[in-house]
Amino acid sequence: MALASMTGFARAQGVSGAWSWAWELKSVNGKGLDVRLRLPIGWDGLEAGLKQSASRLLARGNVNASLTMTRTDAGVSVRVNEDMLRAIATSLRRVAAELEAPPVRLEGLLNLKGVLEIAEAEETTAERRTAEQAVAAGFEQALAELVTMRASEGAALAGVLGDRLDAIAALTAAAEANPARRPEAIRAKLAEQIRVLTETSTNFDPDRLHQEALMMATKVDVREELDRLVAHVAAARVMLAEGGPVGRRLDFLAQEFNRETNTLCSKANDVSLTAIGLELKGVVEQFREQVQNIE
C-alpha cells in the first residue's frame, strides 16, 4: 500500500434532473478519522451512507465535506390567473374612463398579488431518489480524487522521511565511530579526573575510587542507545516500505528516537559526541514534524 498524507482537497459537480450539485472536500491532520458533512436542508438522509463511504477509504484525518444544491428553472412553473386579470382590467378601465385617467399598463397589473402565480413543480419520489443517487456517486468521485491527492503527497513525504532516516543512520554511525566513546578514551579521561582529585586531597579511599570509576564508565557507555537507534531506523524503513496507515506507529518511533537521542546527549563524555547528539536531535525533530502529516 502507498503511504498517504492526511491533507488534501477535491471537488466534484454534476446535474441530475432539475438539480445541479457540487461537492467540496477538504482534509487536514487529525488523531483519528472525523468526517463532518454540511448538507442542505432536506438532504440529511444521505449522511450515514456518505460517512460509511469515507471510512472505507480513509483511516485518519479531519475531513470537511460541503454539498451545494441548486434547483434549475425546470423545477418552476408560472401561471397567470386570467379571470382575476380580466376582472381587474375591466374595473380599472371603467374607473379610468370616469376619471379621465391614462390606462393602466399590463406589467403593472401583473405585479398585483394573485395575478401571477409562481410555484415550484412538485418533485416525484423517483426524481428525488435519482438525484440522491447522483449526489452520492458525486461524493464517491470527490472522495476518490481526495484519496489520490493524499497518496501523491504521501509519496513526497516518504521521500522526505527516507532522507531524514538516512541522516539519523549517518549520525548514529558517526557516534559509533567517535573516538571519545572508545574504552581506552573513557579510561584515560577517568584516570585524568582521578589523578586531579588525588593530587588535591589525600582522603580518598583507593577501593572506593575504583568502584566509582567503574560506575562512571558504565554511565557514559552509549552502546545501548546506539543499538536502539539502529533498530528504530530499520523499523521505520520497513513501515515506509509497507505503506498504509502507519502514521501512529511512526509517531511512536519518533518519540523513541527522541528518547534515545536525549540519553545519548546526557551520557556524552566529550564535546564532539555532544555535537553529534545535538545534530541528531535536530534531525529527529524534523522527522517527527513530517510524521504528523502521515495517515
Side-chain angles (χ1 to χ4, degrees), residues 3-22:
L3 201 67
S5 166
M6 284 190 285
T7 60
F9 175 84
R11 182 177 174 83
Q13 58 187 16
V15 176
S16 176
W19 291 100
S20 60
W21 52 265

Side-chain angles (χ1 to χ4, degrees), residues 42-53:
W43 297 85
D44 304 48
L46 296 173
E47 184 169 353
L50 298 177
K51 286 189 173 182
Q52 288 180 0
S53 296

Side-chain angles (χ1 to χ4, degrees), residues 130-189:
T130 299
E132 289 179 347
Q133 290 173 350
V135 168
F139 181 77
E140 296 280 357
Q141 177 186 342
L143 195 59
E145 182 180 331
L146 181 67
V147 169
T148 299
M149 183 175 183
R150 286 169 45 133
S152 176
E153 292 194 11
L157 283 174
V160 173
L161 291 175
D163 290 343
R164 298 299 179 270
L165 288 175
D166 289 343
I168 293 173
L171 289 169
T172 301
E176 173 72 37
N178 190 284
R181 65 168 303 274
R182 294 174 183 170
E184 56 270 24
I186 296 174
R187 284 197 298 268
K189 191 161 189 175

Side-chain angles (χ1 to χ4, degrees), residues 3 22 24 34 41 49 52 56 71 103-104 120 136 141 146-147 154 159 170 175 183-184 214 224 240 270 291:
L3 201 67
E24 191 171 278
D34 183 14
I41 296 174
Q52 288 180 0
R56 284 195 297 268
R71 191 77 179 269
V104 178
E120 290 188 355
Q141 177 186 342
L146 181 67
V147 169
E184 56 270 24
L214 290 176
E224 291 185 5
L240 291 181
D270 187 83
V291 163

Side-chain angles (χ1 to χ4, degrees), residues 9 57 126-127 149 226 250:
F9 175 84
L57 296 178
E127 289 172 338
M149 183 175 183
L226 295 178
L250 285 171

